[in-house]
Amino acid sequence: MVSFNFVFLINFSICQTFEKIYRTSDDELVYGAALIDSTSCIFGLNSGSAYNDNYYTKIFKMDLQSGNLIDSLIIEPEFPGYYFRGIFDVLKVSDSLFIGIGKFKNNSGNEEIQYILHLNNYLKSDFDTIINIPEIEESSLRTIITQDSFLVSVGRTSVPYECLLCDKTIFGDSVRYEIYSHPYSYTASTVVNIPHKNKYHMFIYMGIEKAINIIDKATLERDTILVYPTFFLPNDAVPDDIDSSIYYVAGRAGSASSSFTDLFYLKLNDEGEILNQYTYNLDSNTFYAYKCFAPFNEHIYFAGVYPFTSSPPTMYPEARWILLYKLTKDGDVIWQKFYKGEVNYMAYKMLATNDGGAIVFSTKYDWNDPTPNQRDLHILKIDSSGYYTPLAGTEEQFEQMEKQILVYPNPVQNVVNFFFGLYKNLEINIYDINGNKVFYNVFEHSAIIDLSHLIPGIYLYTISGGNNFYEKGKLVKK
């Protein structure tokens, strides 16, 4: 048993929004979470060392009204010759049974074997097991659960690198697997179950030719290969929550000249045909980290990281914002929001909640922290408008920071940047504390404004444009 200490900060509110941060000397992040019901969720917090990827997992149950932790459980499985990498998927079988999917990695090689943990809604565990396929060296990237309670994992084999699909019961038996070769491709990144067609749709990651492999569930034979847009890296396949004939695949896209810089998703039917594709192109690299695409009723939440310059490592001294879109199911933007950004934030997992909002699990990395190479867990619970109740004692209590327009740095020394995201042709006005206008102009995509001539103090800005867009805020001039 590993003991730990953490900072647990909650701001109580009558609305279902909050902000939380866990701070310890360990590196901590969440890949997997699931709703228990409309009032609570379960998530796995991987905690350990970023130097060698050696983690243990704290399983938490959290109340969605207040942010209170109800129960917790520490998971520290062991397997000779391997180290535990954490829980990567939390899957719901029923209101009283949840499955955690973890990984062990070989101490001396690339092989990863799978760990299966059963939990009830009180975080009591009565079963766990390890799944190894002796004939191959395998590594899984994504696991889903089917309506008939089978676990389906996709990933790759090692030496040579080829695509892998494996299915089994929730107890890890009746294991079947198949290896699929594809030109210049070495891994399958995500999969979706199509039960009424008796098919799996498996997506190829990297390589020259990107493809959907349609797999017969009865035999695991590949019967069809469909090509999707070349400059797309698929991370996450998500069925529509209403229409069983529709699903989405989210990730990053780019072009031959710009690499993979944009948030992107495909909308497909149950034949694997692309119904539409949606690109959210900003002025700098954005990044889709793991599982942050969540359809709910008539809308979709889609989160990423902005900016992510030239794909540096995750723990990098760069201010990054959580970028969140609320979309219609036709891909139109209802709103965009930028959260935090004073240091490095990266969103890894998101759940749409039954009250119309969402909960976002992200990491916070402060390169000035005296403990090097460790991230803290950061959680936002937002309502349907994107609002959240910030931590007590922060400036955000007085001025909410989940802006649709990104304004930075603030406080400003000389130059302030206004980044519009997907909005265009906006008018910026800046006023001093007495209401005198000190700046006005209209900009198409973004603005860089020199305020060096202004005296130190507090200034107010307004941003307005077509479709009744309006936003205001405060600038502090040093």
Side-chain angles (χ1 to χ4, degrees), residues 42 59 73 96-99 117-121 123-125:
I42 180 175
I59 307 291
L73 176 70
S96 59
L97 177 59
F98 296 82
I99 295 180
L117 171 72
H118 287 200
L119 297 160
N120 67 18
N121 53 327
L123 301 194
K124 305 300 182 184
S125 175

Side-chain angles (χ1 to χ4, degrees), residues 16 34 118 164 175 178 203 236 259 311 334 336 365 438 457:
Q16 293 181 319
H118 287 200
L164 172 70
V175 176
E178 191 65 51
F203 284 75
D236 193 13
S259 186
S311 295
I334 300 172
Q336 67 178 21
Y365 169 62
V438 298

Side-chain angles (χ1 to χ4, degrees), residues 369-437:
D369 192 283
T371 304
N373 291 337
Q374 66 89 23
R375 293 164 287 187
D376 299 317
L377 171 64
H378 179 262
I379 304 175
L380 286 182
K381 170 64 175 68
I382 63 163
D383 65 16
S384 60
S385 69
Y387 173 85
Y388 72 95
T389 307
L391 289 171
T394 66
E395 179 67 21
E396 290 172 287
Q397 283 186 296
F398 309 105
E399 180 165 343
Q400 190 63 43
M401 296 296 289
E402 80 306 354
K403 300 295 186 183
Q404 299 207 65
I405 304 300
L406 189 58
V407 182
Y408 67 97
N410 192 9
V412 56
Q413 187 76 41
N414 292 309
V415 174
V416 62
N417 300 275
F418 287 77
F419 173 60
F420 300 165
L422 297 179
Y423 295 108
K424 295 181 180 180
N425 301 318
L426 298 183
E427 176 184 299
I428 297 176
N429 290 277
I430 301 177
Y431 304 87
D432 65 21
I433 198 66
N434 297 315
N436 300 310
K437 185 181 293 187

Side-chain angles (χ1 to χ4, degrees), residues 203-215:
F203 284 75
I204 304 298
Y205 190 84
M206 299 297 288
I208 294 175
E209 182 184 80
K210 313 299 171 55
I212 306 165
N213 284 213
I214 298 181
I215 310 297

Side-chain angles (χ1 to χ4, degrees), residues 231 254-261 285:
F231 295 99
S255 65
S257 60
S258 67
S259 186
F260 298 94
T261 61
N285 285 9

Side-chain angles (χ1 to χ4, degrees), residues 289-455:
Y290 199 64
K291 293 180 290 185
C292 289
F293 189 93
F296 180 79
N297 286 342
E298 299 302 321
H299 63 264
I300 294 168
Y301 286 112
F302 189 14
V305 178
Y306 174 87
F308 195 85
T309 306
S310 301
S311 295
T314 53
M315 285 184 279
Y316 186 77
E318 176 178 57
R320 294 177 182 161
W321 283 261
I322 300 166
L323 169 61
L324 178 59
Y325 294 115
K326 185 176 182 179
L327 310 169
T328 70
K329 287 192 172 176
D330 292 322
D332 296 326
V333 177
I334 300 172
W335 49 252
Q336 67 178 21
K337 303 281 187 175
F338 296 91
Y339 301 90
K340 311 308 292 186
E342 80 281 4
V343 289
N344 180 318
Y345 289 82
M346 291 189 65
Y348 280 88
K349 175 62 180 177
M350 180 171 59
L351 299 172
T353 53
N354 293 333
D355 58 6
I359 185 165
V360 182
F361 298 88
S362 64
T363 58
K364 175 185 178 183
Y365 169 62
D366 186 348
W367 53 91
N368 299 306
D369 192 283
T371 304
N373 291 337
Q374 66 89 23
R375 293 164 287 187
D376 299 317
L377 171 64
H378 179 262
I379 304 175
L380 286 182
K381 170 64 175 68
I382 63 163
D383 65 16
S384 60
S385 69
Y387 173 85
Y388 72 95
T389 307
L391 289 171
T394 66
E395 179 67 21
E396 290 172 287
Q397 283 186 296
F398 309 105
E399 180 165 343
Q400 190 63 43
M401 296 296 289
E402 80 306 354
K403 300 295 186 183
Q404 299 207 65
I405 304 300
L406 189 58
V407 182
Y408 67 97
N410 192 9
V412 56
Q413 187 76 41
N414 292 309
V415 174
V416 62
N417 300 275
F418 287 77
F419 173 60
F420 300 165
L422 297 179
Y423 295 108
K424 295 181 180 180
N425 301 318
L426 298 183
E427 176 184 299
I428 297 176
N429 290 277
I430 301 177
Y431 304 87
D432 65 21
I433 198 66
N434 297 315
N436 300 310
K437 185 181 293 187
V438 298
F439 180 87
Y440 159 81
N441 211 335
V442 177
F443 299 89
E444 184 176 4
H445 296 291
S446 61
I448 301 174
I449 301 174
D450 186 355
L451 301 182
S452 60
H453 62 286
L454 298 180
I455 63 172

Side-chain angles (χ1 to χ4, degrees), residues 235-281:
N235 280 61
D236 193 13
V238 184
D240 189 80
D241 58 315
I242 296 175
D243 187 348
S244 63
S245 68
I246 299 295
Y247 68 95
Y248 312 90
V249 181
R252 288 183 293 153
S255 65
S257 60
S258 67
S259 186
F260 298 94
T261 61
D262 308 320
L263 295 184
F264 180 93
Y265 76 92
L266 299 175
K267 182 178 181 179
L268 305 98
N269 65 18
D270 54 15
E271 298 289 342
E273 298 170 333
I274 297 173
L275 303 178
N276 216 328
Q277 59 189 54
Y278 306 93
T279 304
Y280 302 93
N281 179 268

Side-chain angles (χ1 to χ4, degrees), residues 30 55 63 91 132 152 264 287 311 379 433-434:
V30 169
Y55 292 85
D63 177 76
L91 308 172
N132 187 21
V152 186
F264 180 93
F287 190 77
S311 295
I379 304 175
I433 198 66
N434 297 315

